[in-house]
Amino acid sequence: MLCQSCEVKAKTAFKMKTYMALMGAAIFFVVIMSMYLMLDQTKSFGEMSGPYDTRLKLQKFSHEDIDILQQKIGALENDLSSNQKTINQLRNAVKSLSNGIIPDLPNLVEEEETPKKEEVIVKKPEAIHEPVIVDSKDLKQNWKTMPAVTVAKAEIFTEECAFGAAPNGNTADVQMLDVYDSLRFDNPDGGVWKQGFDITTSPDQWKDDPLRVFLIPHSHNDPGWIKTVDKYFHDQTVHILDNMVIKLQEHSKMKFIWAEMSYLSMWWEKTSQQNRDITKRLIDEGRLEIVTGGWVMNDEANTNYFAMIDQLIEGHEWLEAFLGVKPKSGWSIDPFGLTPTMAYLLQRMGFESMLIQRVHYAVKKYLAREKKLEFLWRQNWDHGSSTDMFCHMMPFYSYDVPHTCGPDPKICCQYDFKRLPGGRINCPWKIAPVPITDQNVAKKAEVLLDQYRKKSSLYKTNILLVPLGDDFRFDKPAEWDQQYTNYQKLFEYMNGHENWNVQAQFGTLSDYFGAVIEQTKGRIGNQPQGFPVLSGDFFTYTDREQDYWSGYYTSRPFYKNMDRVLESHLRAAEIIYTVAATKARQMGVGKKFDEDSLIRMVTLARRNLALFQHHDAITGTAKDHVVVDYGTKLLISVSDMRKVMMQSIHFLLSPDQTKYSPSSAYFDVDAERLKHDALPEKKVLKLSTEASSIAVFYNTLAHHRNELIRLHVSSPNVKVTDAENNLIQSQSNLIWMDGSQTASTKYELVFAVDIAPLGLKKYLIRDMGESQSPHHSLSSAVMYHVSGSGTEKRGPFVVEKVSLSPTSDFTMENSHIKATFSASTGLLKSTMTKSDGAVTATELQFLLYGTVAQKAKSGAYLFLPDGPAKPITINKPLIRVVRGPLLSEVYVSLPNVDHLVTIKGTTGVDSQSLNILNHVDIRNTRNQELIMRIKSDIQNPDRTFYTDLNGFQLQQRKTLDKLPIQANYYPMPSMAYLESSSTRMSLLTSHPSGVASLETGWIDIVLDRRLNQDDSRGLQQGVLDNKLTGLSYQLLIERNDGGATVKQVRNSPRSLWGWLKGDSKSTAQPAGFPSLLGHAASVSLEHPLYIHTALPESQETSSQLIPEFQVLDEQLPCDIHLLNLRTRIQQSNNAVEAKREAFLLLHRRGFDCRYPGLALSCSTNGGKVSSRNLFQNLNIRGLQATSLSGMYDGNEMEIDSDFTIETMEVNTYRVQFH
Ligand SMILES: [Zn+2]
């Protein structure tokens, strides 16, 4: 183990405490010195033994002296009202003195050089820079380089490099990347099973091993799609569940499964107690099964693992509270492509098996031929077999009845008895079902059995799963009767003919899996034996021909972004609420901290976010009015979560929490969305020359952050200090209303916030009026391609206008990177890393895809481009270059996109990448999709690149010429990268979208899509509700330095030298890993610092707020992410209360050691976490490992223990508070 920085780290962690102590000492010293000077005028201290003999001096103080001292303190109190704590310390010290006790003070001798209070302690960056020179001829020279800052580098526990470097994905029998390499994707006609092949069977096959058929009635209930979730509920779902209760009692052999807890909870709330009791009994009897048990059946492409886990926990907690059941089988029949992340999550939640449906027809056909439709799904990164999850893949086109009984839909449709003549739906194959009678049962049973046998021959066992259902089925009593009575007759006939060797019955999903496991399990455990291991994922899905479903990776980007906004808000609120509510309880504050109403808001937010994970919600594939319904719910919860944060922060920063009195109007948010489809608007903080305004920052990450923040304020001339009166370097910018107009009453203020892990910190901002603080700068601006030229003053700012293009390509840089922009377009051309001077081409372009001329065109689901994307026409766009010591940016106004590239001058992670913000508006286009392309000169072999799956893991992709453009697009929930042996380019995103790498070195990302027609997948509309959308990215260029870590690895007992430097590394691996910096940049983008400003009316009291609060003593190791600290709830009908218990979720991330962890002050230590550090602020009484969603209890742990998390694992712990 290596942890060179541990000692340093520990010191930093205690910096705050020490600092407070020293501050107290310093002020005390100032008082003593002032006192000393006064006394000096009346008394002789000639006999003093030395200038530093403070003790001696103190002993000579009289009561009169102490009075003077107290007066001084009074004055100090006024000046230093921001530091109540220090004053208290001083008071105590003086009290001791007046009682003749010499206080035990910190080492005053060392503090003698401390500046007096009028002086300031300037924090990083240490050098003070001159304000901007406003002489126009100097403009171009100003702020070419930001102040030099030194950055930390993560210390890595070298053994950990092995995980990312070791070969992975190679223990599988089926590696999906290999399948893609080998398949021809030629789609020949397969006969009745159009996308498959002819299946021949012989009745003898089942002679010794009778066929066992489980017919599984189900009803697929989308929580919103064509109708809103409420409308569906009232029109259909309520009847389905009401009838379920009646009909399952009537038909003793009937069974049923249910997947969506959102609907079940709605029904539960309004149904009778009798119905609830019957439902419980049906579950106990195994007649009704809850499958997956999530709030919704979540989308698997666009979702982030935080929200996937959260929606599963929400469902599982509801089930525990009301039904006392633990689901054990997963059911994912409609999501459009499938992720191994889901397999991992279900496995760790204690599930035994899972079922999936929407997989590329060519992949299904391949696996069917090989009898590999049932497999153990293993994570690519799993070096063992612990993640193996038994998975059943359905073989045919759809989950409806025509595609589930066997290969021939024309036949299967005749066994969907809802389609009996006279009903509302029929069979498109033109042969209608007929009721089963004594006359036709023999023939009908024989035909159905033939389908069953054919389907069964695609699987290894003699046990067959046959779903019976469709969307919103079983809503009418007649359908229950039709399906039951007709199938019962068929089954009785089949089962009655012994020579047919078949046993058919209604079943649940777990009836099927239970039978398979029973038959195939080994001697130990329940793991089925004899099935292949499969690794990889099932993107990009197509159901037929070239109809690839890669459009929904981007459709409705406004709401995809909003999803991440609520996710971040919810996580932030969960954590701070849990801390505040626990402290409030432990301090006996009672209901003054309103934990009840806050937990209700949190619960609603969990459910609104969970609802949006549905596979027609976050996917952007619902009708316009349904999208509005989702958007409204998201917005309500975003706003609620700010309220939860504000009250929790207010409580935690209150100087005396025991006397806490709540105030509803205390803080304000820094930005607000006024409508569900509007961008957030920054609020203007009104500054005063009389008193400082207060802003409180909240770092939701368990790592230290130094990060630039942007506020709108009423003055361009300000002074920023932290609560200890340290002056903070700041910069003001003009606020641009459109291309060239600027606001005259509000300005943008930027400064770097330095904040502890899970920390709250107060900063003070004061209007300086006419006087200029040496620590504040005004940025300069130059505009190109504007009418007129010359320099004009806008307030104190100077703006230069130039009608021509910049004379040559121009640059923007900080200490680490230098970006070059094109003189004609203003767009990025290349990026230099200054540490090695290496330049990487990063040519940025915007392009448009059209859609094919055929009838079937792109729509909400499908992407059907009419060929390669074409660059947008750029003709002398307005280019605006703003430069300052902390932030510089290049703005370009292009057709359909306002493009902004920002570079920041902090010591933190945000200084390491280029920030890209696109304001996209394609409302004036027709059938077009706007993309951003970054063309690098990085030679990634075989057009191999990586995209993330659910923000949880990185999956290798390879662009294949045998597939059309749309098939080479993949989901990108949070990042993509490509690399050569020396350089990696990562694009990190704030929201999910489609991504491709069509040529070597390129990354294409889809920004928005506007499509005028339906794409024939049931939505029956195009996507025309586009909004003005703000989309953020970070472009990160990293150099492979192998370096420091390799040296240490060489000496390690298990040499990893070969893995790190040897040939094997040139072959791309199925699982990729971001660097620690890549992780940190991504998580910072997802979880911004939250800013709350004190309302003017609370200025007086807000100055009393303690300056800083931190939950953790020390930051967590770099590779450990605090995923959530989620208060558990006690729920009964119509009531929700917080429990004194929370789920702590920690994720240890895998990372690639070859790229240095720049700008990170953390270290890694082999996955060790100290519970003492985590809960130092909270009095806990129990700590217990649980399964991922908390359904199963694991080991009880010592309250004070250190525990270890394995790489890539997400672990859940139940924390009980006093
Ligand atoms: Zn669906």
Side-chain angles (χ1 to χ4, degrees):
M1 174 177 163
L2 175 99
C3 184
Q4 292 166 351
S5 68
C6 283
E7 201 188 340
V8 181
K9 226 175 30 138
K11 277 183 188 157
T12 325
F14 287 99
K15 196 179 73 182
M16 188 56 217
K17 284 182 183 169
T18 317
Y19 191 74
M20 285 297 293
L22 288 178
M23 188 69 188
I27 291 164
F28 192 82
F29 185 78
V30 170
V31 175
I32 299 301
M33 286 305 286
S34 313
M35 183 71 204
Y36 195 177
L37 289 170
M38 277 187 294
L39 294 177
D40 204 28
Q41 291 164 6
T42 53
K43 292 183 181 178
S44 164
F45 278 80
E47 69 274 31
M48 293 285 293
S49 60
Y52 302 131
D53 196 342
T54 323
R55 287 175 70 97
L56 193 59
K57 276 185 263 176
L58 291 174
Q59 279 166 352
K60 296 194 175 192
F61 283 171
S62 65
H63 282 281
E64 191 190 323
D65 298 336
I66 288 163
D67 286 345
I68 299 166
L69 206 55
Q70 276 174 329
Q71 282 170 21
K72 272 277 172 191
I73 290 165
L76 263 174
E77 266 182 333
N78 290 336
D79 291 343
L80 295 169
S81 56
S82 61
N83 206 328
Q84 194 66 38
K85 210 167 162 185
T86 313
I87 297 296
N88 287 342
Q89 284 179 353
L90 258 171
R91 271 198 186 288
N92 292 337
V94 171
K95 209 166 155 193
S96 305
L97 270 176
S98 59
N99 293 333
I101 303 161
I102 305 294
D104 186 17
L105 290 167
N107 191 346
L108 291 179
V109 176
E110 279 178 21
E111 292 302 306
E112 202 231 6
E113 294 305 312
T114 307
K116 296 204 171 94
K117 88 178 161 52
E118 288 78 14
E119 293 173 4
V120 289
I121 305 153
V122 178
K123 284 200 138 181
K124 285 178 257 177
E126 276 161 20
I128 300 303
H129 301 276
E130 294 302 314
V132 169
I133 302 157
V134 292
D135 189 343
S136 68
K137 71 180 188 320
D138 293 327
L139 269 179
K140 274 165 244 155
Q141 280 73 53
N142 282 334
W143 310 123
K144 269 216 153 156
T145 313
M146 290 176 177
V149 287
T150 48
V151 294
K153 184 172 160 184
E155 286 295 340
I156 296 165
F157 181 67
T158 51
E159 291 293 317
E160 290 179 286
C161 297
F163 193 93
N168 64 47
N170 54 2
T171 55
D173 304 302
V174 182
Q175 168 52 253
M176 285 308 297
L177 289 164
D178 298 339
V179 172
Y180 261 62
D181 268 340
S182 65
L183 286 183
R184 292 170 63 188
F185 297 101
D186 50 356
N187 196 20
D189 192 332
V192 292
W193 178 19
K194 215 168 172 313
Q195 296 167 327
F197 45 86
D198 211 20
I199 306 169
T200 48
T201 58
S202 140
D204 294 343
Q205 277 176 258
W206 289 274
K207 232 174 174 172
D208 303 323
D209 222 357
L211 179 66
R212 293 173 64 195
V213 180
F214 290 97
L215 184 71
I216 302 175
H218 69 100
S219 179
H220 180 70
N221 281 239
D222 293 309
W225 181 39
I226 304 301
K227 300 178 186 177
T228 64
V229 58
D230 291 318
K231 187 90 171 89
Y232 271 137
F233 179 73
H234 290 110
D235 291 356
Q236 278 132 305
T237 309
V238 66
H239 307 300
I240 297 168
L241 292 167
D242 282 348
N243 286 321
M244 171 191 82
V245 170
I246 298 164
K247 293 297 171 181
L248 285 185
Q249 291 182 92
E250 261 178 53
H251 305 310
S252 62
K253 289 178 177 155
M254 183 73 166
K255 297 201 174 187
F256 200 55
I257 62 170
W258 191 262
E260 300 85 8
M261 294 313 103
S262 43
Y263 278 131
L264 194 60
S265 67
M266 288 164 84
W267 178 73
W268 196 263
E269 220 169 82
K270 68 178 288 286
T271 198
S272 65
Q273 188 55 42
Q274 191 191 7
N275 274 356
R276 293 176 189 150
D277 294 342
I278 297 166
T279 305
K280 278 188 208 168
R281 205 183 67 221
L282 289 168
I283 289 175
D284 288 345
E285 290 169 2
R287 306 268 313 285
L288 168 65
E289 186 192 1
I290 302 298
V291 289
T292 311
W295 203 248
V296 298
M297 184 185 294
N298 62 254
D299 168 46
E300 303 195 12
N302 302 292
T303 41
N304 183 284
Y305 72 116
F306 170 90
M308 294 165 82
I309 294 172
D310 215 53
Q311 79 94 7
L312 286 161
I313 292 180
E314 195 57 29
H316 294 171
E317 286 205 317
W318 187 88
L319 281 170
E320 181 193 275
F322 294 99
L323 288 170
V325 296
K326 302 181 196 322
K328 55 180 183 178
S329 301
W331 176 256
S332 183
I333 55 170
D334 202 20
F336 332 133
L338 299 135
T339 174
T341 305
M342 197 68 192
Y344 171 77
L345 299 182
L346 293 179
Q347 211 278 349
R348 293 299 190 244
M349 287 179 183
F351 280 65
E352 285 177 358
S353 37
M354 65 188 290
L355 172 145
I356 56 175
Q357 152 57 18
R358 287 194 187 269
V359 171
H360 194 306
Y361 58 83
V363 172
K364 285 190 170 198
K365 181 176 172 177
Y366 165 80
L367 293 174
R369 266 205 201 283
E370 303 269 312
K371 278 204 185 190
K372 289 175 177 170
L373 286 165
E374 286 184 326
F375 51 85
L376 297 169
W377 203 348
R378 181 176 296 172
Q379 303 301 312
N380 267 328
W381 46 264
D382 184 354
H383 294 137
S385 60
S386 87
T387 60
D388 289 5
M389 179 68 176
F390 185 64
C391 182
H392 171 101
M393 185 187 290
M394 289 168 59
F396 308 123
Y397 171 78
S398 168
Y399 55 82
D400 60 8
V401 182
H403 299 94
T404 48
C405 94
D408 190 343
K410 190 166 71 187
I411 291 173
C412 288
C413 195
Q414 297 169 52
Y415 293 86
D416 183 359
F417 298 101
K418 188 186 167 76
R419 303 187 200 229
L420 283 167
R424 294 229 316 253
I425 52 166
N426 52 28
C427 282
W429 294 269
K430 304 276 197 281
I431 307 177
V434 292
I436 304 301
T437 61
D438 292 346
Q439 287 69 44
N440 67 14
V441 67
K443 182 68 193 155
K444 282 284 177 186
E446 195 186 345
V447 171
L448 181 60
L449 179 59
D450 179 54
Q451 289 297 309
Y452 284 170
R453 283 177 173 164
K454 283 177 171 152
K455 182 174 178 182
S456 172
S457 72
L458 304 177
Y459 293 89
K460 284 187 191 291
T461 72
N462 61 326
I463 304 159
L464 182 66
L465 179 154
V466 182
L468 176 74
D470 208 332
D471 293 0
F472 295 97
R473 279 301 187 92
F474 296 102
D475 59 335
K476 301 262 174 2
E479 186 182 357
W480 289 87
D481 300 336
Q482 285 160 343
Q483 304 288 25
Y484 181 75
T485 51
N486 287 304
Y487 269 105
Q488 227 10 72
K489 277 183 200 151
L490 289 163
F491 291 165
E492 278 162 21
Y493 190 88
M494 281 182 198
N495 300 347
H497 285 69
E498 261 180 42
N499 58 335
W500 283 15
N501 295 310
V502 59
Q503 175 66 43
Q505 62 183 93
F506 288 101
T508 64
L509 186 58
S510 289
D511 286 342
Y512 169 76
F513 280 129
V516 171
I517 291 166
E518 188 56 39
Q519 193 177 89
T520 60
K521 74 179 180 194
R523 260 179 277 166
I524 307 157
N526 267 355
Q527 194 73 285
Q529 307 286 309
F531 295 94
V533 170
L534 179 145
S535 291
D537 71 334
F538 301 106
F539 293 115
T540 285
Y541 169 64
T542 160
D543 53 350
R544 54 187 188 238
E545 290 155 6
Q546 306 277 290
D547 292 0
Y548 284 85
W549 296 40
S550 46
Y552 84 94
Y553 302 156
T554 310
S555 296
R556 269 91 171 229
F558 184 92
Y559 295 99
K560 282 182 163 68
N561 192 61
M562 189 90 151
D563 169 78
R564 297 299 199 262
V565 170
L566 178 54
E567 220 167 277
S568 161
H569 275 71
L570 174 60
R571 178 182 167 278
E574 294 269 16
I575 295 170
I576 206 72
Y577 167 82
T578 301
V579 173
T582 303
K583 276 188 91 74
R585 260 181 254 127
Q586 290 174 356
M587 295 179 121
V589 170
K591 295 294 173 190
K592 277 189 280 181
F593 181 81
D594 192 2
E595 61 169 300
D596 294 338
S597 68
L598 299 186
I599 196 68
R600 282 197 291 274
M601 285 188 216
V602 170
T603 304
L604 178 65
R606 290 171 182 169
R607 292 176 178 182
N608 283 343
L609 180 70
L611 182 72
F612 198 66
Q613 307 312 306
H614 163 51
H615 56 266
D616 290 306
I618 191 171
T619 49
T621 56
K623 287 242 186 229
D624 288 354
H625 74 282
V626 179
V627 172
V628 171
D629 186 52
Y630 290 133
T632 307
K633 288 182 163 76
L634 293 176
L635 181 68
I636 288 169
S637 287
V638 164
S639 155
D640 279 355
M641 291 309 92
R642 288 305 281 260
K643 287 177 199 153
V644 173
M645 277 187 247
M646 286 192 277
Q647 174 140 178
S648 303
I649 291 169
H650 186 208
F651 172 75
L652 291 170
L653 292 185
S654 291
D656 186 351
Q657 289 164 349
T658 55
K659 296 201 184 86
Y660 177 71
S661 68
S663 159
S664 53
Y666 196 86
F667 286 129
D668 198 359
V669 295
D670 63 315
E672 191 174 28
R673 288 170 192 258
L674 299 173
K675 280 172 67 204
H676 72 87
D677 58 354
L679 291 176
E681 281 176 31
K682 279 272 190 188
K683 292 196 171 185
V684 181
L685 182 60
K686 290 232 163 18
L687 302 179
S688 145
T689 51
E690 306 295 314
S692 294
S693 296
I694 286 166
V696 173
F697 297 85
Y698 169 27
N699 173 15
T700 72
L701 301 181
H703 298 107
H704 175 264
R705 259 162 121 166
N706 182 280
E707 195 169 301
L708 211 63
I709 62 89
R710 310 173 81 139
L711 269 174
H712 284 190
V713 296
S714 59
S715 166
N717 237 340
V718 304
K719 182 178 85 170
V720 181
T721 57
D722 64 13
E724 283 85 41
N725 222 18
N726 299 307
L727 258 173
I728 308 297
Q729 187 81 22
S730 56
Q731 174 184 333
S732 279
N733 306 320
L734 284 163
I735 293 174
W736 299 81
M737 308 307 283
D738 60 25
S740 56
Q741 297 303 306
T742 49
S744 56
T745 55
K746 57 180 179 180
Y747 305 89
E748 184 182 61
L749 170 66
V750 297
F751 60 93
V753 168
D754 201 69
I755 187 162
L758 288 189
L760 304 172
K761 193 169 176 183
K762 189 167 94 171
Y763 282 79
L764 296 97
I765 306 156
R766 186 179 289 216
D767 186 348
M768 294 301 280
E770 296 303 307
S771 63
Q772 175 89 50
S773 158
H775 312 299
H776 183 70
S777 311
L778 302 176
S779 59
S780 65
V782 190
M783 286 192 285
Y784 299 99
H785 301 147
V786 286
S787 59
S789 58
T791 301
E792 59 183 57
K793 284 213 83 171
R794 297 194 185 182
F797 295 88
V798 172
V799 175
E800 190 185 2
K801 291 165 90 175
V802 184
S803 59
L804 304 170
S805 297
T807 46
S808 58
D809 290 348
F810 57 96
T811 61
M812 194 168 77
E813 61 190 288
N814 63 15
S815 308
H816 320 293
I817 36 179
K818 179 175 180 177
T820 302
F821 297 83
S822 154
S824 58
T825 65
L827 294 173
L828 181 67
K829 281 182 79 174
S830 66
T831 308
M832 181 175 102
T833 42
K834 289 168 100 170
S835 57
D836 59 359
V839 176
T840 299
T842 48
E843 193 188 332
L844 199 141
Q845 291 184 330
F846 291 95
L847 306 95
L848 287 165
Y849 278 110
T851 186
V852 284
Q854 290 96 301
K855 197 162 163 264
K857 292 181 162 65
S858 300
Y861 305 89
L862 305 185
F863 176 36
L864 292 164
D866 61 349
K870 297 169 191 71
I872 61 168
T873 314
I874 300 178
N875 182 23
K876 288 199 160 188
L878 168 68
I879 302 172
R880 189 175 67 225
V881 184
V882 172
R883 295 182 192 282
L886 293 178
L887 174 151
S888 295
E889 56 193 17
V890 176
Y891 164 92
V892 188
S893 175
L894 298 171
N896 303 120
V897 58
D898 281 351
H899 172 69
L900 188 67
V901 178
T902 308
I903 197 163
K904 296 173 181 175
T906 68
T907 57
V909 168
D910 60 352
S911 66
Q912 300 295 317
S913 53
L914 292 172
N915 300 262
I916 298 171
L917 174 65
N918 292 321
H919 276 117
V920 175
D921 187 351
I922 59 166
R923 282 175 285 192
N924 62 355
T925 66
R926 188 184 161 79
N927 270 330
Q928 290 194 306
E929 310 200 21
L930 181 67
I931 69 160
M932 180 172 79
R933 172 173 293 164
I934 297 169
K935 288 164 83 169
S936 79
D937 53 2
I938 294 169
Q939 297 298 305
N940 53 317
D942 301 330
R943 290 185 291 176
T944 292
F945 65 115
Y946 290 82
T947 62
D948 74 307
L949 290 164
N950 319 99
F952 174 69
Q953 56 182 325
L954 269 295
Q955 167 69 45
Q956 191 207 117
R957 309 290 181 195
K958 202 191 281 178
T959 299
L960 299 171
D961 288 327
K962 63 187 168 187
L963 293 174
I965 291 172
Q966 61 268 34
N968 283 304
Y969 270 83
Y970 289 98
M972 174 187 175
S974 69
M975 70 166 77
Y977 70 76
L978 50 80
E979 64 190 341
S980 65
S981 57
S982 66
T983 300
R984 175 181 289 189
M985 174 171 79
S986 307
L987 189 67
L988 316 174
T989 152
S990 63
H991 60 280
S993 54
V995 68
S997 176
L998 299 177
E999 298 293 341
T1000 302
W1002 295 10
I1003 290 183
D1004 287 3
I1005 181 154
V1006 188
L1007 304 178
D1008 198 0
R1009 45 205 317 266
R1010 184 172 180 84
L1011 300 153
N1012 291 59
Q1013 60 286 310
D1014 182 54
D1015 52 5
S1016 310
R1017 294 304 184 278
L1019 180 60
Q1020 295 179 325
Q1021 65 154 73
V1023 183
L1024 294 165
D1025 58 348
N1026 309 72
K1027 326 275 178 217
L1028 170 63
T1029 303
L1031 303 170
S1032 291
Y1033 307 90
Q1034 289 195 14
L1035 180 65
L1036 178 63
I1037 304 291
E1038 293 176 282
R1039 308 294 177 197
N1040 178 351
D1041 78 348
T1045 54
V1046 171
K1047 241 187 234 163
Q1048 289 140 5
V1049 169
R1050 197 181 230 171
N1051 297 329
S1052 83
R1054 226 178 83 206
S1055 177
L1056 303 161
W1057 176 256
W1059 288 344
L1060 287 167
K1061 278 286 179 192
D1063 292 340
S1064 67
K1065 284 311 288 180
S1066 62
T1067 318
Q1069 303 226 42
F1073 299 95
S1075 65
L1076 283 175
L1077 173 59
H1079 277 307
S1082 174
V1083 80
S1084 304
L1085 188 61
E1086 284 169 14
H1087 302 289
L1089 288 173
Y1090 283 93
I1091 310 173
H1092 298 101
T1093 55
L1095 287 167
E1097 53 269 36
S1098 64
Q1099 281 298 343
E1100 191 80 1
T1101 41
S1102 59
S1103 61
Q1104 313 256 333
L1105 292 180
I1106 61 167
E1108 194 165 13
F1109 176 84
Q1110 66 186 79
V1111 178
L1112 305 179
D1113 228 2
E1114 271 182 68
Q1115 60 184 336
L1116 294 185
C1118 307
D1119 53 345
I1120 294 185
H1121 174 55
L1122 172 66
L1123 192 63
N1124 208 348
L1125 182 62
R1126 187 189 203 269
T1127 291
R1128 302 202 65 204
I1129 53 169
Q1130 185 77 51
Q1131 46 187 332
S1132 54
N1133 296 314
N1134 307 321
V1136 167
E1137 265 179 53
K1139 278 190 194 175
R1140 296 187 170 207
E1141 189 174 298
F1143 283 144
L1144 167 71
L1145 285 95
L1146 296 171
H1147 178 203
R1148 182 172 170 206
R1149 293 181 147 141
F1151 60 93
D1152 194 324
C1153 282
R1154 294 171 299 155
Y1155 302 94
L1158 293 174
L1160 301 175
S1161 58
C1162 52
S1163 63
T1164 67
N1165 66 0
K1168 272 194 207 59
V1169 175
S1170 147
S1171 78
R1172 200 177 298 111
N1173 175 36
L1174 278 171
F1175 304 114
Q1176 57 144 357
N1177 260 297
L1178 303 168
N1179 196 357
I1180 70 167
R1181 66 181 172 87
L1183 184 63
Q1184 185 171 27
T1186 71
S1187 57
L1188 186 51
S1189 63
M1191 289 199 297
Y1192 301 97
D1193 289 338
N1195 294 335
E1196 294 228 20
M1197 296 152 70
E1198 293 288 321
I1199 287 171
D1200 260 358
S1201 60
D1202 285 356
F1203 51 92
T1204 303
I1205 302 169
E1206 298 295 320
T1207 309
M1208 286 304 287
E1209 300 289 352
V1210 184
N1211 288 359
T1212 302
Y1213 308 89
R1214 184 199 312 277
V1215 188
Q1216 290 171 308
F1217 303 109
H1218 278 289

